[in-house]
Amino acid sequence: MTAGLDALPQQRQADVLAALCALETDSRPLPAASYRALAEPALREVVREMLATAGRVLVETGTGYTSGYDDGIADRLAEEGIGVLPPDDRAILALVLLFSVAIPRAEGKLAPEAPWTLGHPVPRQRLNGTKVPKGVVKAGLQRLQDAGITRNIGDSVRPGPQFDRLTPAMSTTIFEELLLLADPRGPLADAIRRRRASSTLASAESPVPGEEHHGH
C-alpha cells in the first residue's frame, strides 16, 4: 500500500487495484475508458505510484495504457542476466524486427510512429532463408510466441504484445541497435555512436549528488 492509495475511499482503492491487475495481466493495452483509475488523472497518478513500488511504470500507447519495467530496473535485470533471451532466440528476434519494422521504416512503408506490433508480417519462409538453421528458427519462434514477444499471423510473424510494454526510451534504444546492426558504417550509425559517446561523457562528468564541492 502507498500513501496515495491509503488516502482514497474504499471504492476508489478498488478501482486502482482493478486497473493495476489488468495492466499487469492483459496482453493488450487497456483503453482508458475501460477503467476509472486510468480515465481520471488523480487516480492514474496513484496507479503510477503503485507501479513504481514494484519498479514498474505506466506506459501510454496509441490505443491506451499498459505497464512495463522502469528503464533503470530493466537495465539492472539485464546486467544480472534476468529475463535475457538465449543467443538463438535473440538472433531470430533481431531478424523479425529487421524485416518487420526496421527495413519497412527505412523504405517509407511503415510510419516512424507506428507501434512495433503493427510491423509488417514476416513470412516464415523468409526467416528460413537466412543463415540460421531451420530447426533453430522453428524452435526459437515457438518460444518467442509463447512469451508474447512475437505473434503469429497465418504463416507469418510480427512483433508481439510485449513490445507494447516498452518505454519510449527503451523502444528508441532497440531501434537504434537495429540500425547499428543493419548498417554499422552508415551515417545514422555514426550519429548514434556520437550521441551515445557524448551522453556517456556528460554522465561521467556530472557530480554525484552529495559530493559536490562547496566553496567556503
Side-chain angles (χ1 to χ4, degrees):
M1 304 289 275
T2 66
L5 186 68
D6 291 339
L8 294 174
Q10 187 172 1
Q11 183 55 53
R12 299 290 78 80
Q13 290 186 19
D15 290 336
V16 169
L17 295 176
L20 278 170
C21 181
L23 285 167
E24 293 285 73
T25 59
D26 202 296
S27 63
R28 300 291 180 187
L30 305 174
S34 299
Y35 290 87
R36 183 169 185 170
L38 297 178
E40 296 185 8
L43 292 181
R44 195 160 60 240
E45 285 307 306
V46 179
V47 171
R48 293 184 195 275
E49 183 182 335
M50 293 289 292
L51 286 168
T53 63
R56 307 279 285 175
V57 294
L58 189 65
V59 178
E60 186 172 0
T61 73
T63 57
Y65 292 93
T66 186
S67 57
Y69 278 111
D70 171 83
D71 292 332
I73 297 296
D75 288 340
R76 190 193 314 171
L77 291 173
E79 289 172 1
E80 296 175 357
I82 299 173
V84 176
L85 293 173
D88 285 347
D89 293 3
R90 290 203 301 271
I92 296 163
L93 179 59
L95 290 172
V96 171
L97 297 180
L98 279 171
F99 293 141
S100 178
V101 177
I103 293 175
R105 278 192 190 179
E107 294 176 344
K109 298 177 181 178
L110 185 68
E113 66 275 9
W116 292 89
T117 50
L118 292 184
H120 289 201
V122 182
R124 288 172 178 263
Q125 183 177 359
R126 188 170 190 183
L127 297 175
N128 288 331
T130 65
K131 295 181 180 180
V132 182
K134 291 183 179 180
V136 173
V137 170
K138 181 178 180 180
L141 284 177
Q142 185 61 57
R143 289 189 293 270
L144 293 171
Q145 162 82 7
D146 292 344
I149 298 172
T150 60
R151 181 163 65 95
N152 291 337
I153 302 176
D155 198 36
S156 298
V157 61
R158 67 169 22 150
Q162 289 295 341
F163 278 85
D164 284 325
R165 296 188 180 276
L166 295 174
T167 64
M170 193 62 67
S171 181
T172 297
T173 296
I174 292 176
F175 189 69
E176 287 180 349
E177 290 296 326
L178 290 175
L179 292 175
L180 292 171
L181 176 65
D183 189 15
R185 302 180 187 278
L188 283 177
D190 288 341
I192 291 169
R193 283 190 288 265
R194 285 196 302 270
R195 182 183 56 76
R196 289 183 176 181
S198 177
S199 177
T200 299
L201 180 61
S203 297
E205 293 178 347
S206 297
V208 177
E211 294 186 1
E212 297 91 341
H213 176 71
H214 298 283
H216 298 286

